[in-house]
PDB file of all heavy atoms in Angstrom:
ATOM      1  N   GLY A   1      10.102  -5.550   9.578  1.00 97.00           N
ATOM      2  CA  GLY A   1      10.689  -4.328  10.002  1.00 97.00           C
ATOM      3  C   GLY A   1      12.115  -4.424  10.530  1.00 97.00           C
ATOM      4  O   GLY A   1      12.766  -3.415  10.706  1.00 97.00           O
ATOM      5  N   ARG A   2      12.648  -5.641  10.624  1.00 97.00           N
ATOM      6  CA  ARG A   2      14.011  -5.815  11.048  1.00 97.00           C
ATOM      7  C   ARG A   2      14.929  -6.048   9.854  1.00 97.00           C
ATOM      8  O   ARG A   2      14.484  -6.473   8.828  1.00 97.00           O
ATOM      9  CB  ARG A   2      14.149  -7.111  11.980  1.00 97.00           C
ATOM     10  CG  ARG A   2      13.559  -6.685  13.380  1.00 97.00           C
ATOM     11  CD  ARG A   2      13.867  -7.788  14.421  1.00 97.00           C
ATOM     12  NE  ARG A   2      13.659  -7.340  15.778  1.00 97.00           N
ATOM     13  CZ  ARG A   2      13.440  -8.172  16.812  1.00 97.00           C
ATOM     14  NH1 ARG A   2      13.395  -9.467  16.577  1.00 97.00           N
ATOM     15  NH2 ARG A   2      13.327  -7.698  17.993  1.00 97.00           N
ATOM     16  N   PRO A   3      16.189  -5.725   9.994  1.00 96.00           N
ATOM     17  CA  PRO A   3      17.181  -5.878   8.815  1.00 96.00           C
ATOM     18  C   PRO A   3      17.184  -7.277   8.307  1.00 96.00           C
ATOM     19  O   PRO A   3      17.223  -8.245   9.033  1.00 96.00           O
ATOM     20  CB  PRO A   3      18.434  -5.455   9.438  1.00 96.00           C
ATOM     21  CG  PRO A   3      18.166  -4.605  10.562  1.00 96.00           C
ATOM     22  CD  PRO A   3      16.882  -5.156  11.175  1.00 96.00           C
ATOM     23  N   HIS A   4      17.131  -7.367   6.992  1.00 96.00           N
ATOM     24  CA  HIS A   4      17.201  -8.622   6.295  1.00 96.00           C
ATOM     25  C   HIS A   4      16.185  -9.639   6.698  1.00 96.00           C
ATOM     26  O   HIS A   4      16.359 -10.874   6.719  1.00 96.00           O
ATOM     27  CB  HIS A   4      18.624  -9.246   6.440  1.00 96.00           C
ATOM     28  CG  HIS A   4      19.705  -8.302   6.184  1.00 96.00           C
ATOM     29  ND1 HIS A   4      20.800  -8.071   7.069  1.00 96.00           N
ATOM     30  CD2 HIS A   4      19.880  -7.346   5.227  1.00 96.00           C
ATOM     31  CE1 HIS A   4      21.583  -7.124   6.599  1.00 96.00           C
ATOM     32  NE2 HIS A   4      21.039  -6.683   5.474  1.00 96.00           N
ATOM     33  N   SER A   5      14.987  -9.145   7.109  1.00 98.00           N
ATOM     34  CA  SER A   5      13.927  -9.980   7.625  1.00 98.00           C
ATOM     35  C   SER A   5      12.605  -9.450   7.086  1.00 98.00           C
ATOM     36  O   SER A   5      12.485  -8.332   6.639  1.00 98.00           O
ATOM     37  CB  SER A   5      13.953  -9.964   9.108  1.00 98.00           C
ATOM     38  OG  SER A   5      15.107 -10.579   9.649  1.00 98.00           O
ATOM     39  N   GLY A   6      11.595 -10.327   7.284  1.00 98.00           N
ATOM     40  CA  GLY A   6      10.209  -9.900   7.034  1.00 98.00           C
ATOM     41  C   GLY A   6       9.386 -10.903   6.380  1.00 98.00           C
ATOM     42  O   GLY A   6       9.716 -12.019   6.090  1.00 98.00           O
ATOM     43  N   TYR A   7       8.078 -10.495   6.164  1.00 98.00           N
ATOM     44  CA  TYR A   7       7.158 -11.250   5.298  1.00 98.00           C
ATOM     45  C   TYR A   7       6.993 -10.435   3.994  1.00 98.00           C
ATOM     46  O   TYR A   7       6.911  -9.203   4.078  1.00 98.00           O
ATOM     47  CB  TYR A   7       5.751 -11.435   5.985  1.00 98.00           C
ATOM     48  CG  TYR A   7       4.803 -11.776   4.937  1.00 98.00           C
ATOM     49  CD1 TYR A   7       4.619 -13.086   4.457  1.00 98.00           C
ATOM     50  CD2 TYR A   7       3.929 -10.839   4.331  1.00 98.00           C
ATOM     51  CE1 TYR A   7       3.774 -13.396   3.478  1.00 98.00           C
ATOM     52  CE2 TYR A   7       3.076 -11.161   3.342  1.00 98.00           C
ATOM     53  CZ  TYR A   7       2.945 -12.434   2.924  1.00 98.00           C
ATOM     54  OH  TYR A   7       2.106 -12.761   1.904  1.00 98.00           O
ATOM     55  N   ALA A   8       6.806 -11.138   2.866  1.00 97.00           N
ATOM     56  CA  ALA A   8       6.529 -10.480   1.604  1.00 97.00           C
ATOM     57  C   ALA A   8       5.865 -11.396   0.662  1.00 97.00           C
ATOM     58  O   ALA A   8       6.223 -12.573   0.552  1.00 97.00           O
ATOM     59  CB  ALA A   8       7.840  -9.914   0.972  1.00 97.00           C
ATOM     60  N   PRO A   9       4.862 -10.935  -0.135  1.00 96.00           N
ATOM     61  CA  PRO A   9       4.294 -11.707  -1.289  1.00 96.00           C
ATOM     62  C   PRO A   9       5.113 -11.363  -2.467  1.00 96.00           C
ATOM     63  O   PRO A   9       5.501 -10.231  -2.767  1.00 96.00           O
ATOM     64  CB  PRO A   9       2.905 -11.168  -1.318  1.00 96.00           C
ATOM     65  CG  PRO A   9       2.963  -9.779  -0.900  1.00 96.00           C
ATOM     66  CD  PRO A   9       4.085  -9.671   0.134  1.00 96.00           C
ATOM     67  N   VAL A  10       5.372 -12.385  -3.242  1.00 94.00           N
ATOM     68  CA  VAL A  10       6.117 -12.187  -4.503  1.00 94.00           C
ATOM     69  C   VAL A  10       5.154 -11.853  -5.579  1.00 94.00           C
ATOM     70  O   VAL A  10       4.454 -12.670  -6.155  1.00 94.00           O
ATOM     71  CB  VAL A  10       6.930 -13.468  -4.847  1.00 94.00           C
ATOM     72  CG1 VAL A  10       7.724 -13.283  -6.114  1.00 94.00           C
ATOM     73  CG2 VAL A  10       7.873 -13.898  -3.722  1.00 94.00           C
ATOM     74  N   THR A  11       5.076 -10.527  -5.943  1.00 87.00           N
ATOM     75  CA  THR A  11       4.147 -10.102  -6.980  1.00 87.00           C
ATOM     76  C   THR A  11       4.391 -10.745  -8.333  1.00 87.00           C
ATOM     77  O   THR A  11       5.512 -10.967  -8.685  1.00 87.00           O
ATOM     78  CB  THR A  11       4.250  -8.486  -7.108  1.00 87.00           C
ATOM     79  OG1 THR A  11       4.100  -7.957  -5.864  1.00 87.00           O
ATOM     80  CG2 THR A  11       3.205  -8.057  -8.036  1.00 87.00           C
ATOM     81  N   GLY A  12       3.329 -11.000  -9.052  1.00 83.00           N
ATOM     82  CA  GLY A  12       3.482 -11.766 -10.295  1.00 83.00           C
ATOM     83  C   GLY A  12       3.465 -10.932 -11.567  1.00 83.00           C
ATOM     84  O   GLY A  12       4.481 -10.921 -12.306  1.00 83.00           O
ATOM     85  N   GLN A  13       2.416 -10.164 -11.819  1.00 87.00           N
ATOM     86  CA  GLN A  13       2.254  -9.462 -13.192  1.00 87.00           C
ATOM     87  C   GLN A  13       3.218  -8.325 -13.283  1.00 87.00           C
ATOM     88  O   GLN A  13       3.618  -7.743 -12.234  1.00 87.00           O
ATOM     89  CB  GLN A  13       0.807  -9.023 -13.407  1.00 87.00           C
ATOM     90  CG  GLN A  13      -0.118 -10.218 -13.595  1.00 87.00           C
ATOM     91  CD  GLN A  13      -1.469  -9.682 -14.033  1.00 87.00           C
ATOM     92  OE1 GLN A  13      -1.687  -9.409 -15.195  1.00 87.00           O
ATOM     93  NE2 GLN A  13      -2.433  -9.611 -13.107  1.00 87.00           N
ATOM     94  N   GLY A  14       3.437  -7.848 -14.519  1.00 85.00           N
ATOM     95  CA  GLY A  14       4.439  -6.836 -14.694  1.00 85.00           C
ATOM     96  C   GLY A  14       4.197  -5.525 -13.962  1.00 85.00           C
ATOM     97  O   GLY A  14       5.140  -4.899 -13.352  1.00 85.00           O
ATOM     98  N   ASN A  15       2.950  -5.085 -13.881  1.00 90.00           N
ATOM     99  CA  ASN A  15       2.643  -3.998 -13.029  1.00 90.00           C
ATOM    100  C   ASN A  15       1.580  -4.363 -11.949  1.00 90.00           C
ATOM    101  O   ASN A  15       0.647  -3.617 -11.703  1.00 90.00           O
ATOM    102  CB  ASN A  15       2.164  -2.736 -13.811  1.00 90.00           C
ATOM    103  CG  ASN A  15       2.176  -1.439 -13.021  1.00 90.00           C
ATOM    104  OD1 ASN A  15       3.062  -1.302 -12.098  1.00 90.00           O
ATOM    105  ND2 ASN A  15       1.345  -0.534 -13.345  1.00 90.00           N
ATOM    106  N   GLY A  16       1.732  -5.569 -11.467  1.00 86.00           N
ATOM    107  CA  GLY A  16       0.762  -6.095 -10.480  1.00 86.00           C
ATOM    108  C   GLY A  16       0.697  -5.184  -9.272  1.00 86.00           C
ATOM    109  O   GLY A  16      -0.343  -5.109  -8.588  1.00 86.00           O
ATOM    110  N   GLN A  17       1.783  -4.508  -8.909  1.00 87.00           N
ATOM    111  CA  GLN A  17       1.804  -3.667  -7.775  1.00 87.00           C
ATOM    112  C   GLN A  17       1.103  -2.348  -8.150  1.00 87.00           C
ATOM    113  O   GLN A  17       0.099  -2.001  -7.526  1.00 87.00           O
ATOM    114  CB  GLN A  17       3.205  -3.329  -7.313  1.00 87.00           C
ATOM    115  CG  GLN A  17       3.349  -2.463  -6.096  1.00 87.00           C
ATOM    116  CD  GLN A  17       2.799  -3.084  -4.854  1.00 87.00           C
ATOM    117  OE1 GLN A  17       3.236  -4.082  -4.310  1.00 87.00           O
ATOM    118  NE2 GLN A  17       1.800  -2.428  -4.266  1.00 87.00           N
ATOM    119  N   GLY A  18       1.637  -1.563  -9.088  1.00 88.00           N
ATOM    120  CA  GLY A  18       1.046  -0.281  -9.454  1.00 88.00           C
ATOM    121  C   GLY A  18      -0.387  -0.460 -10.007  1.00 88.00           C
ATOM    122  O   GLY A  18      -1.182   0.428  -9.803  1.00 88.00           O
ATOM    123  N   GLY A  19      -0.633  -1.536 -10.612  1.00 87.00           N
ATOM    124  CA  GLY A  19      -1.938  -1.748 -11.283  1.00 87.00           C
ATOM    125  C   GLY A  19      -3.090  -1.782 -10.212  1.00 87.00           C
ATOM    126  O   GLY A  19      -4.245  -1.453 -10.553  1.00 87.00           O
ATOM    127  N   ARG A  20      -2.755  -2.109  -9.020  1.00 87.00           N
ATOM    128  CA  ARG A  20      -3.759  -2.255  -7.979  1.00 87.00           C
ATOM    129  C   ARG A  20      -3.822  -0.993  -7.054  1.00 87.00           C
ATOM    130  O   ARG A  20      -4.653  -0.964  -6.133  1.00 87.00           O
ATOM    131  CB  ARG A  20      -3.625  -3.532  -7.136  1.00 87.00           C
ATOM    132  CG  ARG A  20      -2.399  -3.609  -6.242  1.00 87.00           C
ATOM    133  CD  ARG A  20      -2.491  -4.969  -5.528  1.00 87.00           C
ATOM    134  NE  ARG A  20      -1.401  -5.167  -4.537  1.00 87.00           N
ATOM    135  CZ  ARG A  20      -0.182  -5.667  -4.775  1.00 87.00           C
ATOM    136  NH1 ARG A  20       0.120  -5.985  -6.020  1.00 87.00           N
ATOM    137  NH2 ARG A  20       0.634  -5.856  -3.784  1.00 87.00           N
ATOM    138  N   GLU A  21      -2.975  -0.003  -7.378  1.00 91.00           N
ATOM    139  CA  GLU A  21      -2.929   1.168  -6.465  1.00 91.00           C
ATOM    140  C   GLU A  21      -3.702   2.338  -6.944  1.00 91.00           C
ATOM    141  O   GLU A  21      -3.955   3.180  -6.092  1.00 91.00           O
ATOM    142  CB  GLU A  21      -1.430   1.560  -6.356  1.00 91.00           C
ATOM    143  CG  GLU A  21      -0.569   0.554  -5.649  1.00 91.00           C
ATOM    144  CD  GLU A  21       0.943   0.746  -5.758  1.00 91.00           C
ATOM    145  OE1 GLU A  21       1.281   1.812  -6.400  1.00 91.00           O
ATOM    146  OE2 GLU A  21       1.689   0.005  -5.204  1.00 91.00           O
ATOM    147  N   HIS A  22      -4.098   2.367  -8.117  1.00 92.00           N
ATOM    148  CA  HIS A  22      -4.511   3.717  -8.695  1.00 92.00           C
ATOM    149  C   HIS A  22      -5.895   3.698  -9.354  1.00 92.00           C
ATOM    150  O   HIS A  22      -6.184   4.589 -10.135  1.00 92.00           O
ATOM    151  CB  HIS A  22      -3.497   4.233  -9.634  1.00 92.00           C
ATOM    152  CG  HIS A  22      -2.136   4.481  -8.948  1.00 92.00           C
ATOM    153  ND1 HIS A  22      -2.042   5.388  -7.845  1.00 92.00           N
ATOM    154  CD2 HIS A  22      -0.977   3.963  -9.079  1.00 92.00           C
ATOM    155  CE1 HIS A  22      -0.824   5.346  -7.442  1.00 92.00           C
ATOM    156  NE2 HIS A  22      -0.121   4.434  -8.156  1.00 92.00           N
ATOM    157  N   GLY A  23      -6.768   2.671  -9.021  1.00 90.00           N
ATOM    158  CA  GLY A  23      -8.111   2.825  -9.410  1.00 90.00           C
ATOM    159  C   GLY A  23      -8.755   1.683 -10.193  1.00 90.00           C
ATOM    160  O   GLY A  23      -9.996   1.829 -10.593  1.00 90.00           O
ATOM    161  N   GLN A  24      -8.012   0.677 -10.588  1.00 92.00           N
ATOM    162  CA  GLN A  24      -8.598  -0.441 -11.293  1.00 92.00           C
ATOM    163  C   GLN A  24      -9.531  -1.357 -10.449  1.00 92.00           C
ATOM    164  O   GLN A  24     -10.376  -2.006 -10.898  1.00 92.00           O
ATOM    165  CB  GLN A  24      -7.600  -1.318 -12.029  1.00 92.00           C
ATOM    166  CG  GLN A  24      -6.915  -0.654 -13.203  1.00 92.00           C
ATOM    167  CD  GLN A  24      -6.093  -1.717 -14.017  1.00 92.00           C
ATOM    168  OE1 GLN A  24      -6.643  -2.304 -14.970  1.00 92.00           O
ATOM    169  NE2 GLN A  24      -4.937  -1.928 -13.551  1.00 92.00           N
ATOM    170  N   LYS A  25      -9.125  -1.430  -9.154  1.00 94.00           N
ATOM    171  CA  LYS A  25      -9.874  -2.347  -8.233  1.00 94.00           C
ATOM    172  C   LYS A  25     -11.284  -1.729  -8.012  1.00 94.00           C
ATOM    173  O   LYS A  25     -11.494  -0.505  -7.877  1.00 94.00           O
ATOM    174  CB  LYS A  25      -9.104  -2.557  -6.969  1.00 94.00           C
ATOM    175  CG  LYS A  25      -7.872  -3.440  -7.092  1.00 94.00           C
ATOM    176  CD  LYS A  25      -7.100  -3.543  -5.858  1.00 94.00           C
ATOM    177  CE  LYS A  25      -7.840  -4.436  -4.803  1.00 94.00           C
ATOM    178  NZ  LYS A  25      -7.036  -4.657  -3.557  1.00 94.00           N
ATOM    179  N   CYS A  26     -12.205  -2.651  -7.786  1.00 96.00           N
ATOM    180  CA  CYS A  26     -13.612  -2.280  -7.696  1.00 96.00           C
ATOM    181  C   CYS A  26     -13.931  -1.445  -6.475  1.00 96.00           C
ATOM    182  O   CYS A  26     -14.985  -0.776  -6.467  1.00 96.00           O
ATOM    183  CB  CYS A  26     -14.519  -3.558  -7.743  1.00 96.00           C
ATOM    184  SG  CYS A  26     -14.236  -4.589  -6.256  1.00 96.00           S
ATOM    185  N   ASP A  27     -13.053  -1.481  -5.499  1.00 95.00           N
ATOM    186  CA  ASP A  27     -13.353  -0.700  -4.262  1.00 95.00           C
ATOM    187  C   ASP A  27     -12.336   0.406  -3.976  1.00 95.00           C
ATOM    188  O   ASP A  27     -12.258   0.827  -2.815  1.00 95.00           O
ATOM    189  CB  ASP A  27     -13.434  -1.693  -3.061  1.00 95.00           C
ATOM    190  CG  ASP A  27     -12.089  -2.454  -2.895  1.00 95.00           C
ATOM    191  OD1 ASP A  27     -11.228  -2.407  -3.815  1.00 95.00           O
ATOM    192  OD2 ASP A  27     -11.915  -3.174  -1.874  1.00 95.00           O
ATOM    193  N   GLN A  28     -11.644   0.811  -4.997  1.00 94.00           N
ATOM    194  CA  GLN A  28     -10.512   1.606  -4.694  1.00 94.00           C
ATOM    195  C   GLN A  28     -10.368   2.834  -5.547  1.00 94.00           C
ATOM    196  O   GLN A  28     -10.737   2.787  -6.729  1.00 94.00           O
ATOM    197  CB  GLN A  28      -9.232   0.723  -4.996  1.00 94.00           C
ATOM    198  CG  GLN A  28      -7.991   1.132  -4.214  1.00 94.00           C
ATOM    199  CD  GLN A  28      -6.996   0.035  -4.177  1.00 94.00           C
ATOM    200  OE1 GLN A  28      -7.114  -0.975  -3.451  1.00 94.00           O
ATOM    201  NE2 GLN A  28      -6.038   0.101  -5.050  1.00 94.00           N
ATOM    202  N   LEU A  29      -9.803   3.908  -5.010  1.00 96.00           N
ATOM    203  CA  LEU A  29      -9.448   5.118  -5.682  1.00 96.00           C
ATOM    204  C   LEU A  29      -7.940   5.224  -5.805  1.00 96.00           C
ATOM    205  O   LEU A  29      -7.231   4.610  -5.076  1.00 96.00           O
ATOM    206  CB  LEU A  29     -10.122   6.333  -5.080  1.00 96.00           C
ATOM    207  CG  LEU A  29     -11.605   6.472  -5.180  1.00 96.00           C
ATOM    208  CD1 LEU A  29     -12.167   7.541  -4.183  1.00 96.00           C
ATOM    209  CD2 LEU A  29     -11.989   6.748  -6.601  1.00 96.00           C
ATOM    210  N   PRO A  30      -7.388   6.191  -6.579  1.00 96.00           N
ATOM    211  CA  PRO A  30      -5.949   6.343  -6.709  1.00 96.00           C
ATOM    212  C   PRO A  30      -5.240   6.603  -5.395  1.00 96.00           C
ATOM    213  O   PRO A  30      -5.819   7.234  -4.425  1.00 96.00           O
ATOM    214  CB  PRO A  30      -5.788   7.573  -7.624  1.00 96.00           C
ATOM    215  CG  PRO A  30      -7.058   7.551  -8.467  1.00 96.00           C
ATOM    216  CD  PRO A  30      -8.134   7.077  -7.495  1.00 96.00           C
ATOM    217  N   GLY A  31      -4.031   6.090  -5.239  1.00 95.00           N
ATOM    218  CA  GLY A  31      -3.304   6.231  -3.998  1.00 95.00           C
ATOM    219  C   GLY A  31      -3.638   5.155  -2.962  1.00 95.00           C
ATOM    220  O   GLY A  31      -3.307   5.218  -1.817  1.00 95.00           O
ATOM    221  N   TYR A  32      -4.329   4.150  -3.467  1.00 94.00           N
ATOM    222  CA  TYR A  32      -4.760   3.020  -2.608  1.00 94.00           C
ATOM    223  C   TYR A  32      -5.802   3.562  -1.608  1.00 94.00           C
ATOM    224  O   TYR A  32      -5.918   3.037  -0.445  1.00 94.00           O
ATOM    225  CB  TYR A  32      -3.653   2.369  -1.873  1.00 94.00           C
ATOM    226  CG  TYR A  32      -3.698   0.819  -1.901  1.00 94.00           C
ATOM    227  CD1 TYR A  32      -2.663   0.059  -2.318  1.00 94.00           C
ATOM    228  CD2 TYR A  32      -4.876   0.129  -1.515  1.00 94.00           C
ATOM    229  CE1 TYR A  32      -2.741  -1.312  -2.343  1.00 94.00           C
ATOM    230  CE2 TYR A  32      -4.961  -1.221  -1.510  1.00 94.00           C
ATOM    231  CZ  TYR A  32      -3.910  -1.946  -1.946  1.00 94.00           C
ATOM    232  OH  TYR A  32      -3.978  -3.308  -1.972  1.00 94.00           O
ATOM    233  N   ARG A  33      -6.594   4.608  -1.989  1.00 95.00           N
ATOM    234  CA  ARG A  33      -7.664   5.028  -1.158  1.00 95.00           C
ATOM    235  C   ARG A  33      -8.928   4.167  -1.335  1.00 95.00           C
ATOM    236  O   ARG A  33      -9.120   3.646  -2.343  1.00 95.00           O
ATOM    237  CB  ARG A  33      -8.035   6.505  -1.515  1.00 95.00           C
ATOM    238  CG  ARG A  33      -6.982   7.507  -1.155  1.00 95.00           C
ATOM    239  CD  ARG A  33      -7.416   8.900  -1.519  1.00 95.00           C
ATOM    240  NE  ARG A  33      -6.769   9.925  -0.759  1.00 95.00           N
ATOM    241  CZ  ARG A  33      -5.571  10.539  -1.068  1.00 95.00           C
ATOM    242  NH1 ARG A  33      -5.029  10.199  -2.234  1.00 95.00           N
ATOM    243  NH2 ARG A  33      -5.060  11.434  -0.299  1.00 95.00           N
ATOM    244  N   LYS A  34      -9.700   4.093  -0.276  1.00 95.00           N
ATOM    245  CA  LYS A  34     -10.899   3.312  -0.323  1.00 95.00           C
ATOM    246  C   LYS A  34     -12.035   4.130  -0.950  1.00 95.00           C
ATOM    247  O   LYS A  34     -12.247   5.312  -0.553  1.00 95.00           O
ATOM    248  CB  LYS A  34     -11.267   2.859   1.096  1.00 95.00           C
ATOM    249  CG  LYS A  34     -10.282   1.973   1.724  1.00 95.00           C
ATOM    250  CD  LYS A  34     -10.058   0.648   1.029  1.00 95.00           C
ATOM    251  CE  LYS A  34     -11.282  -0.286   1.150  1.00 95.00           C
ATOM    252  NZ  LYS A  34     -11.087  -1.544   0.494  1.00 95.00           N
ATOM    253  N   LEU A  35     -12.813   3.505  -1.756  1.00 96.00           N
ATOM    254  CA  LEU A  35     -13.829   4.164  -2.510  1.00 96.00           C
ATOM    255  C   LEU A  35     -15.030   4.584  -1.558  1.00 96.00           C
ATOM    256  O   LEU A  35     -15.763   5.547  -1.862  1.00 96.00           O
ATOM    257  CB  LEU A  35     -14.374   3.261  -3.621  1.00 96.00           C
ATOM    258  CG  LEU A  35     -15.389   3.856  -4.649  1.00 96.00           C
ATOM    259  CD1 LEU A  35     -14.857   5.173  -5.245  1.00 96.00           C
ATOM    260  CD2 LEU A  35     -15.593   2.825  -5.769  1.00 96.00           C
ATOM    261  N   ASP A  36     -15.111   3.921  -0.450  1.00 96.00           N
ATOM    262  CA  ASP A  36     -16.235   4.219   0.485  1.00 96.00           C
ATOM    263  C   ASP A  36     -15.839   5.139   1.653  1.00 96.00           C
ATOM    264  O   ASP A  36     -16.559   5.415   2.506  1.00 96.00           O
ATOM    265  CB  ASP A  36     -16.939   2.927   1.022  1.00 96.00           C
ATOM    266  CG  ASP A  36     -15.910   2.083   1.751  1.00 96.00           C
ATOM    267  OD1 ASP A  36     -14.711   2.447   1.788  1.00 96.00           O
ATOM    268  OD2 ASP A  36     -16.274   0.929   2.183  1.00 96.00           O
ATOM    269  N   ASP A  37     -14.626   5.785   1.516  1.00 97.00           N
ATOM    270  CA  ASP A  37     -14.119   6.674   2.452  1.00 97.00           C
ATOM    271  C   ASP A  37     -14.507   8.104   2.046  1.00 97.00           C
ATOM    272  O   ASP A  37     -14.028   8.586   0.967  1.00 97.00           O
ATOM    273  CB  ASP A  37     -12.542   6.485   2.623  1.00 97.00           C
ATOM    274  CG  ASP A  37     -11.937   7.527   3.584  1.00 97.00           C
ATOM    275  OD1 ASP A  37     -12.634   8.510   4.037  1.00 97.00           O
ATOM    276  OD2 ASP A  37     -10.743   7.409   3.807  1.00 97.00           O
ATOM    277  N   PRO A  38     -15.338   8.829   2.798  1.00 97.00           N
ATOM    278  CA  PRO A  38     -15.724  10.121   2.356  1.00 97.00           C
ATOM    279  C   PRO A  38     -14.603  11.099   2.129  1.00 97.00           C
ATOM    280  O   PRO A  38     -14.675  11.916   1.134  1.00 97.00           O
ATOM    281  CB  PRO A  38     -16.603  10.644   3.578  1.00 97.00           C
ATOM    282  CG  PRO A  38     -17.095   9.371   4.207  1.00 97.00           C
ATOM    283  CD  PRO A  38     -15.970   8.416   4.068  1.00 97.00           C
ATOM    284  N   ASP A  39     -13.557  11.062   2.924  1.00 97.00           N
ATOM    285  CA  ASP A  39     -12.381  11.906   2.670  1.00 97.00           C
ATOM    286  C   ASP A  39     -11.675  11.642   1.387  1.00 97.00           C
ATOM    287  O   ASP A  39     -11.222  12.474   0.680  1.00 97.00           O
ATOM    288  CB  ASP A  39     -11.468  11.840   3.860  1.00 97.00           C
ATOM    289  CG  ASP A  39     -11.996  12.554   5.180  1.00 97.00           C
ATOM    290  OD1 ASP A  39     -12.897  13.384   4.976  1.00 97.00           O
ATOM    291  OD2 ASP A  39     -11.560  12.171   6.232  1.00 97.00           O
ATOM    292  N   ALA A  40     -11.579  10.272   1.114  1.00 97.00           N
ATOM    293  CA  ALA A  40     -10.919   9.873  -0.150  1.00 97.00           C
ATOM    294  C   ALA A  40     -11.732  10.312  -1.354  1.00 97.00           C
ATOM    295  O   ALA A  40     -11.109  10.842  -2.343  1.00 97.00           O
ATOM    296  CB  ALA A  40     -10.752   8.322  -0.132  1.00 97.00           C
ATOM    297  N   ARG A  41     -13.029  10.218  -1.227  1.00 97.00           N
ATOM    298  CA  ARG A  41     -13.871  10.604  -2.383  1.00 97.00           C
ATOM    299  C   ARG A  41     -13.801  12.102  -2.608  1.00 97.00           C
ATOM    300  O   ARG A  41     -13.699  12.520  -3.724  1.00 97.00           O
ATOM    301  CB  ARG A  41     -15.350  10.228  -2.044  1.00 97.00           C
ATOM    302  CG  ARG A  41     -15.520   8.694  -2.009  1.00 97.00           C
ATOM    303  CD  ARG A  41     -16.981   8.345  -1.462  1.00 97.00           C
ATOM    304  NE  ARG A  41     -18.028   8.860  -2.384  1.00 97.00           N
ATOM    305  CZ  ARG A  41     -18.465   8.121  -3.396  1.00 97.00           C
ATOM    306  NH1 ARG A  41     -17.994   6.918  -3.653  1.00 97.00           N
ATOM    307  NH2 ARG A  41     -19.420   8.619  -4.165  1.00 97.00           N
ATOM    308  N   LYS A  42     -13.689  12.843  -1.497  1.00 98.00           N
ATOM    309  CA  LYS A  42     -13.607  14.318  -1.593  1.00 98.00           C
ATOM    310  C   LYS A  42     -12.308  14.741  -2.273  1.00 98.00           C
ATOM    311  O   LYS A  42     -12.288  15.548  -3.178  1.00 98.00           O
ATOM    312  CB  LYS A  42     -13.763  14.910  -0.192  1.00 98.00           C
ATOM    313  CG  LYS A  42     -13.742  16.463  -0.252  1.00 98.00           C
ATOM    314  CD  LYS A  42     -13.892  16.985   1.180  1.00 98.00           C
ATOM    315  CE  LYS A  42     -13.776  18.526   1.204  1.00 98.00           C
ATOM    316  NZ  LYS A  42     -13.917  19.038   2.601  1.00 98.00           N
ATOM    317  N   HIS A  43     -11.252  14.098  -1.855  1.00 98.00           N
ATOM    318  CA  HIS A  43      -9.884  14.456  -2.359  1.00 98.00           C
ATOM    319  C   HIS A  43      -9.818  14.130  -3.881  1.00 98.00           C
ATOM    320  O   HIS A  43      -9.449  14.980  -4.669  1.00 98.00           O
ATOM    321  CB  HIS A  43      -8.778  13.665  -1.611  1.00 98.00           C
ATOM    322  CG  HIS A  43      -7.509  13.845  -2.203  1.00 98.00           C
ATOM    323  ND1 HIS A  43      -6.632  14.901  -1.826  1.00 98.00           N
ATOM    324  CD2 HIS A  43      -6.784  13.142  -3.169  1.00 98.00           C
ATOM    325  CE1 HIS A  43      -5.530  14.848  -2.571  1.00 98.00           C
ATOM    326  NE2 HIS A  43      -5.592  13.828  -3.344  1.00 98.00           N
ATOM    327  N   VAL A  44     -10.169  12.948  -4.284  1.00 98.00           N
ATOM    328  CA  VAL A  44     -10.097  12.489  -5.670  1.00 98.00           C
ATOM    329  C   VAL A  44     -11.081  13.292  -6.530  1.00 98.00           C
ATOM    330  O   VAL A  44     -10.764  13.718  -7.689  1.00 98.00           O
ATOM    331  CB  VAL A  44     -10.228  10.995  -5.837  1.00 98.00           C
ATOM    332  CG1 VAL A  44     -10.265  10.584  -7.335  1.00 98.00           C
ATOM    333  CG2 VAL A  44      -9.145  10.261  -5.134  1.00 98.00           C
TER     334      VAL A  44
END
């Protein structure tokens, strides 16, 4: 959170970031929502 500082993982695959945000993961819904969250399930 400070300027020019932080922790970060260096993502590997071409869409490794977006690919895990929108529903390919076994426990996840789009928007990085959790599949076992009732509000997330209702929205999607």
Side-chain angles (χ1 to χ4, degrees):
R2 283 188 166 161
H4 312 132
S5 294
Y7 162 79
V10 181
T11 306
Q13 293 189 79
N15 197 30
Q17 181 68 62
R20 69 182 185 268
E21 295 168 358
H22 298 300
Q24 285 192 98
K25 288 179 71 175
C26 66
D27 57 350
Q28 206 164 282
L29 289 169
Y32 225 129
R33 287 181 158 92
K34 298 296 290 182
L35 189 54
D36 57 4
D37 178 350
D39 289 337
R41 295 171 65 88
K42 181 178 179 181
H43 175 88
V44 174

